[in-house]
Coordinates of all heavy atoms in Angstrom, one line a residue:
D135 N 33.3 -3.0 -45.8 CA 33.8 -4.3 -46.1 C 34.1 -5.0 -44.7 O 33.8 -6.2 -44.6 CB 35.1 -4.3 -46.8 CG 34.9 -3.8 -48.3 OD1 33.8 -3.8 -48.7 OD2 35.9 -3.6 -49.0
V136 N 34.6 -4.3 -43.7 CA 34.9 -4.8 -42.4 C 33.5 -5.2 -41.8 O 33.4 -6.3 -41.2 CB 35.7 -3.8 -41.6 CG1 35.9 -4.4 -40.1 CG2 37.0 -3.5 -42.2
E137 N 32.6 -4.3 -41.9 CA 31.3 -4.5 -41.2 C 30.6 -5.7 -41.8 O 29.9 -6.4 -41.1 CB 30.4 -3.2 -41.3 CG 31.0 -2.1 -40.5 CD 30.1 -0.9 -40.7 OE1 29.2 -0.8 -41.5 OE2 30.5 0.3 -40.1
Q138 N 30.7 -5.9 -43.1 CA 30.0 -6.9 -43.8 C 30.7 -8.3 -43.4 O 29.9 -9.2 -43.2 CB 30.1 -6.8 -45.3 CG 29.1 -5.7 -45.8 CD 27.8 -5.7 -45.4 OE1 27.1 -6.9 -45.5 NE2 27.1 -4.7 -44.9
A139 N 31.9 -8.3 -43.2 CA 32.6 -9.5 -42.7 C 32.2 -9.8 -41.3 O 32.0 -11.0 -40.9 CB 34.1 -9.3 -42.8
M140 N 32.1 -8.8 -40.4 CA 31.7 -9.1 -39.1 C 30.2 -9.6 -39.0 O 30.0 -10.5 -38.3 CB 31.8 -7.7 -38.3 CG 33.2 -7.2 -38.1 SD 33.3 -5.6 -37.3 CE 32.8 -6.0 -35.5
L141 N 29.4 -9.0 -39.8 CA 28.0 -9.5 -39.9 C 27.9 -10.9 -40.3 O 27.2 -11.8 -39.8 CB 27.2 -8.6 -40.8 CG 26.8 -7.2 -40.3 CD1 26.3 -6.4 -41.4 CD2 25.8 -7.3 -39.1
A142 N 28.7 -11.3 -41.3 CA 28.8 -12.6 -41.8 C 29.2 -13.6 -40.8 O 28.7 -14.7 -40.6 CB 29.6 -12.7 -43.1
L143 N 30.2 -13.2 -40.0 CA 30.8 -14.2 -38.9 C 29.8 -14.4 -37.8 O 29.8 -15.4 -37.0 CB 32.1 -13.6 -38.4 CG 33.2 -13.7 -39.4 CD1 34.4 -12.9 -38.9 CD2 33.7 -15.1 -39.6
L144 N 28.9 -13.4 -37.5 CA 28.0 -13.5 -36.4 C 26.6 -13.7 -36.8 O 25.6 -13.8 -36.0 CB 28.0 -12.2 -35.5 CG 29.3 -11.9 -34.8 CD1 29.1 -10.7 -33.9 CD2 29.7 -13.1 -33.9
K145 N 26.3 -14.1 -38.1 CA 25.0 -14.1 -38.6 C 24.1 -15.3 -37.9 O 22.9 -15.3 -37.8 CB 25.0 -14.4 -40.1 CG 25.5 -15.6 -40.6 CD 25.6 -15.7 -42.2 CE 26.2 -16.9 -42.7 NZ 25.4 -18.1 -42.4
D146 N 24.9 -16.4 -37.4 CA 24.2 -17.5 -36.9 C 24.2 -17.5 -35.3 O 23.9 -18.5 -34.7 CB 24.6 -18.8 -37.4 CG 24.4 -18.9 -38.9 OD1 23.3 -18.5 -39.4 OD2 25.2 -19.5 -39.5
I147 N 24.7 -16.4 -34.8 CA 25.1 -16.4 -33.3 C 23.9 -15.7 -32.5 O 23.4 -14.5 -33.1 CB 26.4 -15.6 -33.0 CG1 27.5 -16.3 -33.7 CG2 26.6 -15.5 -31.6 CD1 27.8 -17.7 -33.2
N148 N 23.4 -16.2 -31.5 CA 22.5 -15.6 -30.7 C 23.1 -14.5 -29.8 O 23.9 -14.8 -28.8 CB 21.7 -16.6 -29.7 CG 20.8 -15.8 -28.9 OD1 20.3 -14.8 -29.0 ND2 20.3 -16.6 -27.8
L149 N 23.0 -13.2 -30.1 CA 23.7 -12.2 -29.3 C 23.2 -11.9 -28.0 O 24.0 -11.4 -27.1 CB 23.7 -10.9 -30.2 CG 24.4 -11.0 -31.6 CD1 24.2 -9.7 -32.4 CD2 25.9 -11.4 -31.5
G150 N 22.0 -12.2 -27.8 CA 21.4 -12.0 -26.4 C 21.6 -10.6 -25.9 O 21.3 -9.7 -26.5
H151 N 22.2 -10.6 -24.6 CA 22.6 -9.3 -24.1 C 24.0 -9.0 -24.6 O 24.9 -9.6 -24.3 CB 22.6 -9.4 -22.6 CG 23.1 -8.1 -21.8 ND1 23.2 -8.1 -20.5 CD2 23.3 -6.9 -22.4 CE1 23.6 -6.8 -20.2 NE2 23.7 -6.1 -21.3
M152 N 24.1 -8.0 -25.5 CA 25.4 -7.7 -26.1 C 26.0 -6.4 -25.5 O 25.4 -5.5 -25.1 CB 25.1 -7.2 -27.6 CG 26.3 -7.0 -28.4 SD 25.9 -6.3 -30.1 CE 25.7 -4.6 -29.7
L153 N 27.3 -6.6 -25.2 CA 28.2 -5.5 -24.7 C 29.0 -5.1 -25.8 O 29.9 -5.8 -26.3 CB 29.0 -6.1 -23.5 CG 30.1 -5.1 -23.0 CD1 29.4 -3.9 -22.4 CD2 30.9 -5.8 -21.9
D154 N 28.9 -3.8 -26.0 CA 29.8 -3.1 -27.0 C 30.9 -2.3 -26.3 O 30.5 -1.2 -25.8 CB 29.0 -2.3 -28.0 CG 29.9 -1.5 -29.0 OD1 30.9 -2.0 -29.4 OD2 29.5 -0.5 -29.6
I155 N 32.1 -2.7 -26.2 CA 33.1 -2.0 -25.5 C 33.8 -0.9 -26.3 O 34.3 -1.3 -27.4 CB 34.1 -3.0 -24.9 CG1 33.5 -4.0 -23.9 CG2 35.3 -2.3 -24.2 CD1 34.4 -5.2 -23.5
G156 N 33.9 0.3 -25.8 CA 34.4 1.4 -26.6 C 33.6 1.7 -27.8 O 33.9 1.8 -28.9
T157 N 32.3 1.9 -27.4 CA 31.2 2.1 -28.5 C 31.4 3.3 -29.4 O 31.0 3.3 -30.5 CB 29.8 2.2 -27.8 OG1 28.8 2.1 -28.8 CG2 29.6 3.5 -27.0
G158 N 32.2 4.3 -28.9 CA 32.4 5.4 -29.8 C 31.2 6.2 -30.2 O 30.4 6.6 -29.5
T159 N 31.0 6.1 -31.5 CA 29.8 6.7 -32.0 C 28.6 5.9 -32.1 O 27.5 6.3 -32.6 CB 30.1 7.3 -33.5 OG1 30.4 6.1 -34.3 CG2 31.3 8.3 -33.6
G160 N 28.8 4.6 -31.6 CA 27.6 3.8 -31.5 C 27.4 3.0 -32.8 O 26.3 2.3 -32.9
R161 N 28.3 2.9 -33.7 CA 28.2 2.2 -35.0 C 27.8 0.7 -34.8 O 26.9 0.2 -35.5 CB 29.3 2.4 -35.9 CG 29.2 1.7 -37.2 CD 28.0 2.0 -38.0 NE 27.8 1.2 -39.2 CZ 26.7 1.1 -39.9 NH1 25.5 1.6 -39.4 NH2 26.6 0.4 -41.0
M162 N 28.5 0.0 -33.9 CA 28.4 -1.4 -33.7 C 26.9 -1.6 -33.1 O 26.3 -2.6 -33.4 CB 29.4 -2.0 -32.7 CG 30.8 -2.0 -33.3 SD 31.0 -3.0 -34.8 CE 31.0 -1.8 -36.1
V163 N 26.4 -0.7 -32.2 CA 25.1 -0.8 -31.7 C 24.1 -0.7 -32.9 O 23.1 -1.5 -33.0 CB 24.8 0.3 -30.7 CG1 23.4 0.2 -30.3 CG2 25.7 0.2 -29.5
E164 N 24.3 0.2 -33.9 CA 23.4 0.3 -35.0 C 23.4 -1.0 -35.8 O 22.4 -1.4 -36.3 CB 23.9 1.5 -35.9 CG 23.6 2.9 -35.4 CD 23.9 3.9 -36.4 OE1 25.0 3.9 -36.9 OE2 23.0 4.7 -36.6
L165 N 24.6 -1.5 -35.9 CA 24.9 -2.7 -36.8 C 24.3 -4.0 -36.2 O 23.6 -4.8 -36.8 CB 26.3 -3.0 -37.1 CG 26.7 -3.6 -38.3 CD1 26.2 -2.8 -39.6 CD2 28.2 -3.7 -38.5
F166 N 24.6 -4.3 -34.9 CA 24.2 -5.5 -34.3 C 23.0 -5.4 -33.3 O 22.5 -6.4 -32.8 CB 25.4 -6.1 -33.5 CG 26.5 -6.6 -34.5 CD1 27.6 -5.7 -34.7 CD2 26.5 -7.8 -35.2 CE1 28.6 -6.1 -35.6 CE2 27.4 -8.1 -36.1 CZ 28.5 -7.3 -36.3
G167 N 22.8 -4.1 -32.8 CA 21.7 -4.0 -31.8 C 20.3 -4.5 -32.3 O 19.7 -5.2 -31.4
P168 N 19.9 -4.5 -33.5 CA 18.6 -5.0 -33.9 C 18.5 -6.5 -33.7 O 17.3 -7.0 -33.5 CB 18.5 -4.6 -35.4 CG 19.3 -3.4 -35.5 CD 20.5 -3.5 -34.6
N169 N 19.6 -7.2 -33.7 CA 19.6 -8.6 -33.6 C 19.9 -9.0 -32.1 O 20.2 -10.3 -31.8 CB 20.6 -9.3 -34.6 CG 20.1 -9.1 -36.0 OD1 19.0 -9.2 -36.3 ND2 21.1 -9.0 -36.9
S170 N 19.9 -8.1 -31.2 CA 20.2 -8.4 -29.8 C 18.9 -8.2 -29.0 O 18.0 -7.5 -29.3 CB 21.3 -7.5 -29.3 OG 22.5 -7.5 -30.1
E171 N 18.9 -8.9 -27.8 CA 17.7 -8.7 -26.9 C 18.0 -7.5 -26.0 O 16.9 -6.9 -25.7 CB 17.6 -10.0 -26.1 CG 17.3 -11.2 -26.8 CD 17.4 -12.5 -26.0 OE1 17.5 -12.4 -24.8 OE2 17.5 -13.7 -26.5
K172 N 19.2 -7.2 -25.7 CA 19.5 -6.1 -24.8 C 20.9 -5.6 -25.2 O 21.7 -6.5 -25.7 CB 19.5 -6.5 -23.4 CG 19.9 -5.3 -22.4 CD 19.8 -5.9 -21.0 CE 20.2 -4.8 -19.9 NZ 20.2 -5.4 -18.5
V173 N 21.2 -4.3 -25.2 CA 22.5 -3.8 -25.5 C 23.1 -2.9 -24.4 O 22.3 -2.0 -23.9 CB 22.4 -2.9 -26.8 CG1 23.7 -2.3 -27.2 CG2 21.9 -3.7 -28.0
T174 N 24.2 -3.1 -23.9 CA 25.0 -2.2 -23.2 C 26.1 -1.6 -23.9 O 27.0 -2.4 -24.5 CB 25.5 -2.9 -22.0 OG1 24.5 -3.5 -21.2 CG2 26.3 -1.9 -21.0
A175 N 26.2 -0.4 -24.1 CA 27.2 0.3 -24.9 C 28.1 1.1 -23.9 O 27.6 2.0 -23.3 CB 26.6 1.3 -25.9
L176 N 29.4 0.8 -24.0 CA 30.3 1.3 -23.0 C 31.4 2.1 -23.6 O 31.9 1.8 -24.6 CB 31.0 0.0 -22.2 CG 31.9 0.4 -21.1 CD1 31.1 0.7 -19.8 CD2 32.8 -0.8 -20.8
D177 N 31.7 3.2 -23.0 CA 32.8 4.1 -23.4 C 33.3 4.9 -22.2 O 32.5 5.2 -21.3 CB 32.5 5.1 -24.5 CG 33.6 5.5 -25.5 OD1 34.4 6.2 -24.9 OD2 33.7 5.0 -26.7
K178 N 34.6 5.1 -22.2 CA 35.2 5.9 -21.1 C 35.1 7.4 -21.2 O 35.4 8.2 -20.4 CB 36.6 5.5 -20.8 CG 37.6 5.9 -21.8 CD 39.0 5.6 -21.4 CE 40.0 5.9 -22.4 NZ 41.4 5.6 -22.0
S179 N 34.7 7.8 -22.4 CA 34.6 9.2 -22.8 C 33.2 9.7 -22.8 O 32.3 9.3 -23.5 CB 35.2 9.5 -24.2 OG 34.9 10.8 -24.6
P180 N 32.8 10.7 -21.8 CA 31.5 11.1 -21.8 C 31.1 11.8 -23.1 O 30.0 11.7 -23.6 CB 31.5 12.2 -20.7 CG 32.6 11.6 -19.8 CD 33.6 11.1 -20.7
E181 N 32.1 12.5 -23.8 CA 31.8 13.1 -25.0 C 31.4 12.1 -26.1 O 30.5 12.3 -26.9 CB 33.1 13.9 -25.5 CG 32.8 14.8 -26.7 CD 34.1 15.5 -27.2 OE1 35.2 15.1 -26.9 OE2 33.8 16.6 -27.7
M182 N 32.1 10.9 -26.2 CA 31.8 9.9 -27.1 C 30.4 9.4 -26.8 O 29.6 9.0 -27.8 CB 32.8 8.9 -27.2 CG 34.2 9.2 -27.7 SD 34.1 10.1 -29.3 CE 33.6 8.8 -30.4
L183 N 30.0 9.2 -25.5 CA 28.7 8.7 -25.2 C 27.6 9.7 -25.7 O 26.5 9.2 -26.1 CB 28.6 8.5 -23.7 CG 29.3 7.2 -23.2 CD1 29.1 7.0 -21.7 CD2 28.8 5.9 -24.0
R184 N 27.9 10.9 -25.6 CA 27.0 12.0 -26.0 C 26.7 11.8 -27.6 O 25.6 12.1 -28.1 CB 27.3 13.3 -25.6 CG 27.1 13.6 -24.1 CD 27.2 15.0 -23.7 NE 28.6 15.5 -23.6 CZ 29.3 15.4 -22.6 NH1 28.9 14.8 -21.5 NH2 30.6 15.9 -22.5
L185 N 27.9 11.6 -28.3 CA 27.7 11.4 -29.7 C 26.9 10.1 -30.0 O 26.0 10.1 -30.9 CB 29.1 11.2 -30.3 CG 30.0 12.5 -30.3 CD1 31.5 12.1 -30.8 CD2 29.5 13.5 -31.3
A186 N 27.2 9.1 -29.3 CA 26.5 7.8 -29.5 C 25.0 8.1 -29.3 O 24.1 7.6 -30.0 CB 27.0 6.6 -28.6
R187 N 24.7 8.8 -28.2 CA 23.3 9.0 -27.9 C 22.6 9.8 -28.9 O 21.5 9.6 -29.3 CB 23.2 9.8 -26.5 CG 21.8 10.1 -26.0 CD 21.8 10.7 -24.6 NE 22.3 9.8 -23.6 CZ 23.5 9.9 -23.1 NH1 24.4 10.8 -23.5 NH2 23.9 8.9 -22.2
A188 N 23.3 10.9 -29.5 CA 22.7 11.6 -30.6 C 22.4 10.8 -31.8 O 21.5 11.1 -32.5 CB 23.6 12.8 -30.8
K189 N 23.3 9.9 -32.0 CA 23.2 9.0 -33.2 C 22.1 7.9 -33.2 O 21.4 7.7 -34.1 CB 24.6 8.5 -33.6 CG 24.6 7.8 -34.9 CD 26.1 7.5 -35.2 CE 26.2 6.9 -36.7 NZ 27.6 6.4 -36.9

Side-chain angles (χ1 to χ4, degrees):
D135 292 350
V136 178
E137 292 176 357
Q138 291 305 311
M140 294 175 73
L141 285 167
L143 288 170
L144 292 186
K145 66 182 177 65
D146 297 321
I147 301 297
N148 177 18
L149 298 178
H151 180 183
M152 185 187 83
L153 170 63
D154 181 26
I155 298 177
T157 193
T159 63
R161 177 55 183 161
M162 292 297 103
V163 176
E164 286 186 307
L165 205 61
F166 293 99
N169 295 324
S170 304
E171 296 170 11
K172 178 181 178 181
V173 178
T174 299
L176 184 79
D177 205 289
K178 69 177 182 179
S179 167
E181 184 175 35
M182 294 308 293
L183 285 180
R184 287 193 281 274
L185 290 173
R187 183 175 293 103
K189 188 175 183 182

